[in-house]
Amino acid sequence: MGPHDGTVRAVCPHDCPDTCGMLVTVADGRAVKLRGDPDHPFTRGFLCQKVSRYLERVYHPDRLTHPLLRTGSKGAGQFRRISWDEAIDRIADAFRKIAASADGPQAILPYSYAGTMGKLHNASLDRRFFHRLGASLLDRTICATAGAAGCDITLGTRAAFDPEAIVHARYIINWGSNTSVTNMHLWALMHKARKAGARIVSIDPFRCQTAARSDWWLPIRPGADAALALGMMHVIFRDGLQDDDYLQQYCLGADRLRERALQEYSLDKVSRITGLPAGDIETLAHEYAATPPACIRVNYGLQRHHGGGMAVRTITCLPAIIGAWRHAGGGALLSTSKLYPFNAAALERPDLIRPGTRTINMVQLAEALAGELPGPPVRALYVYNSNPAAVNPDQARVLQGLRRDDLFTVVHDQFQTDTADYADIVLPATTQLEHFDIHGSYGHLYLQTNEPAIAPLGEARSNTDVFRLLAERMGFEPELFQVSDEELARQALQSPEFDGIGLERLRCDGPVRLNLPKDYAPFARGGFPTPSGKCELYSPGMAARGLDPLPTYTPPREDPQTRPELAARFPLQMLSPPVPEFLNSTFVNIGSLRKQAGEPTVEMHPDDAVARGIADGQTVRLFNDRGSFVARAVVAGNVRPGAVVSQGIWWNKLSADGVNCNVTTSTGLTDLGGGACFFDNLVEVQPDN
Ligand SMILES: Nc1nc2c(c(=O)[nH]1)N[C@H]1C(S)=C(S)[C@@H](COP(=O)(O)OP(=O)(O)OC[C@H]3O[C@@H](n4cnc5c(=O)[nH]c(N)nc54)[C@H](O)[C@@H]3O)O[C@H]1N2
Ligand SMILES: Nc1nc2c(c(=O)[nH]1)N[C@H]1C(S)=C(S)[C@@H](COP(=O)(O)OP(=O)(O)OC[C@H]3O[C@@H](n4cnc5c(=O)[nH]c(N)nc54)[C@H](O)[C@@H]3O)O[C@H]1N2
Ligand SMILES: [Mo]
């Protein structure tokens, strides 16, 4: 698996549904060119503006190239070079001491998310290592669990169909989804459908790039999506537009849902909650029900509110009501990740977890570091594939926790991130061009391998390499840990459903499609993997848990309509979706991209700006009880009144007062799935003097 000159097939590792195929040209051991793989059936040779600059990232002068030991105070960013030997010794020593103490190994917390989506470097030997060590478990909830839990209730799995079939759709709703930016190859197919006559609708409080390019933008009030879906159901049932046959054969509880929608979600009420005119809700419902195939791209934007789980549960009832699942390209699409039958049991070895081990929700890192959660204090934190100092909510408290002198922090990253500034030990990580991996996707149906194109820069090591070293130093079983990346890949692929798609074929042929038929439409004839085998419009499971068994509207935690006392001080609902030039907090340090992104901004409605004496281009301060940050006001009519949008996620140390938008966000959790509530966030804005 050695690097070699010529052209190497690689995969974009970033947390994005597109998982692009890439070709890297290598000459004299150096990657000289990187482009999209024209033979990739879904990503077809074009890359986003970020990843087309990936070589700038790989060869960036700021790449970490050797381990570091902290010499200054936490956060100051002062370090000196040490050897790998010393770094691994110090980490193993610290882990051993903590494990042997009265607090035990659960005082050690691994912290990772999706810096790379590759199966090996995202979740393999790391999981084995921390399970074997007996460390606390981490519930990785920061992005997608609310929607996943919501979908599970209605459909028994994540809403998905063959994304390539979307070309057949004739009515496409991007619901809380900035598809043209966050899923651009799907957007290209939506565009193809549009050329064939499809109408594209965007439901979003913000006129994001996708909304701006759609046929119709519905500027919904943040967090009101479940109410809109119930309002659509009201109209559909009232006007007899439902698919009675589909409801009767394949759904549970249609009558009860119909009654709920008709009686409890009048157009007046829904209009008041959503801030949308009743006539628009009616038109949307009529068009949606009468223009097959109809598809909803339901994405993450609308889940980041307290009621996000229920919102996704509710929205994913709509396709069944109008029988949209019958058609290729009809239904709802959240994520295709569940269609990949990777063998996580073989790869991650959850059987090594000690019974009774506690789980810490990653959204609550602030609470975990403050010792507010049950169980022993967190005495060691091992961060990889993540940048919690920038991306986590309630940032001031996260930083306060990271500053603790009695906390031993390791950060393994490619760059000296905001989090790395607080580390006791920093370890240099390889980039995607320097290691092997295999990739599924959450936005298409192709499996791929990433071949290393070049040797690791400096002394950089891959995630699996570091856990091999640590396991060896801890004296852990070689048969569990001294396993090659290639062997790990084979273990991940051990599944009958991967029949015929072995490692050899992947490495030789490039992207291979899962064993699923063209235009795969999973629920065309029912077959929902729920307990009842039906689409559960009514959920007996929810009833048994004492929860509302029917779709319902759950207001945000910080909702001006239900929290007038809070809104009197902080009246504006702040959304902070990613700026197109960055991938969460990745790429912020790439000069060309940062230049293009400019500086932190806040989009305001002219009425809200005028009321505060704020002019376009002025520097303003956004604040609430949790914290404050500065941004440049953009007053351009791109956001509905009462909402403001500050796109992220900037590095703290590259922002005006050393913090970013997450100083205002809370660690509140979603109703289902324990997800993050980044967009459920009331703030006030004032000119910054
Ligand atoms: N306000 C606000 N906050 C948000 C969001 C938002 O919309 N608004 N979005 C949320 C969402 S959706 C998500 S998914 C999270 C994302 O949060 P994170 O998962 O923390 O994502 P990134 O900020 O991209 O940081 C990933 C880090 O992993 C590093 N990395 C990349 N590859 C490797 C590797 O192979 N090995 C190691 N050791 N490190 C590697 C990168 O250099 C980078 O520093 O942020 C959340 N935070
Ligand atoms: N360029 C780029 N692409 C990315 C990422 C990135 O950082 N940069 N991040 C990747 C990751 S980790 C993820 S999770 C996905 C996220 O991608 P998306 O799922 O598209 O999510 P966001 O961009 O966070 O939000 C989408 C839209 O939802 C809107 N929104 C916010 N609140 C509400 C609401 O209450 N209701 C409705 N209807 N809309 C609302 C926002 O204004 C935003 O325009 O993108 C991935 N792709
Ligand atoms: Mo995400």
Side-chain angles (χ1 to χ4, degrees), residues 18-170:
D18 294 41
T19 321
C20 293
M22 311 193 293
L23 296 176
V24 186
T25 312
V26 183
D28 297 328
R30 195 177 163 88
V32 291
K33 192 170 152 197
L34 179 144
R35 62 201 154 96
D37 178 357
D39 295 328
H40 191 292
F42 188 78
T43 64
R44 293 174 180 267
F46 67 99
L47 298 175
C48 69
Q49 55 181 343
K50 308 175 292 299
V51 174
S52 53
R53 305 234 174 80
Y54 196 71
L55 292 184
E56 231 184 289
R57 182 171 175 85
V58 172
Y59 292 113
H60 196 291
D62 296 345
R63 271 290 299 278
L64 292 168
T65 50
H66 42 74
L68 299 168
L69 178 71
R70 182 169 61 83
T71 54
S73 59
K74 293 205 173 190
Q78 289 158 350
F79 294 87
R80 72 171 167 84
R81 179 174 182 168
I82 55 172
S83 67
W84 268 102
D85 238 18
E86 181 180 349
I88 295 295
D89 265 345
R90 283 176 181 270
I91 299 167
D93 264 5
F95 284 0
R96 242 188 250 111
K97 277 196 189 110
I98 293 171
S101 75
D103 291 322
Q106 292 195 57
I108 301 165
L109 179 66
Y111 199 90
S112 75
Y113 197 62
T116 170
M117 298 287 294
K119 296 311 285 181
L120 310 189
H121 300 295
N122 179 273
S124 65
L125 290 187
D126 55 319
R127 301 297 203 271
R128 289 186 195 178
F129 177 82
F130 289 111
H131 295 342
R132 171 67 180 78
L133 182 61
S136 284
L137 298 168
L138 185 72
D139 199 3
R140 292 174 170 82
T141 51
I142 205 155
C143 176
T145 47
C151 271
D152 269 349
I153 291 164
T154 305
L155 307 172
T157 182
R158 259 151 251 194
F161 56 79
D162 183 349
E164 286 165 88
I166 209 162
V167 294
H168 304 304
R170 290 299 171 264

Side-chain angles (χ1 to χ4, degrees), residues 15 57 113-116 142-143 304 384-387 391 412-414 417 429-430 435 463 576-578 583-586 649 661-662 678-679:
D15 187 353
R57 182 171 175 85
Y113 197 62
T116 170
I142 205 155
C143 176
R304 312 203 191 291
Y384 57 109
N385 290 342
S386 185
N387 184 12
V391 307
H412 184 203
D413 204 299
Q414 298 150 350
T417 59
T430 43
H435 56 230
N463 293 354
S576 51
L583 196 296
N584 301 315
S585 79
T586 301
I649 306 173
C661 61
N662 277 323
F678 289 111
F679 303 167

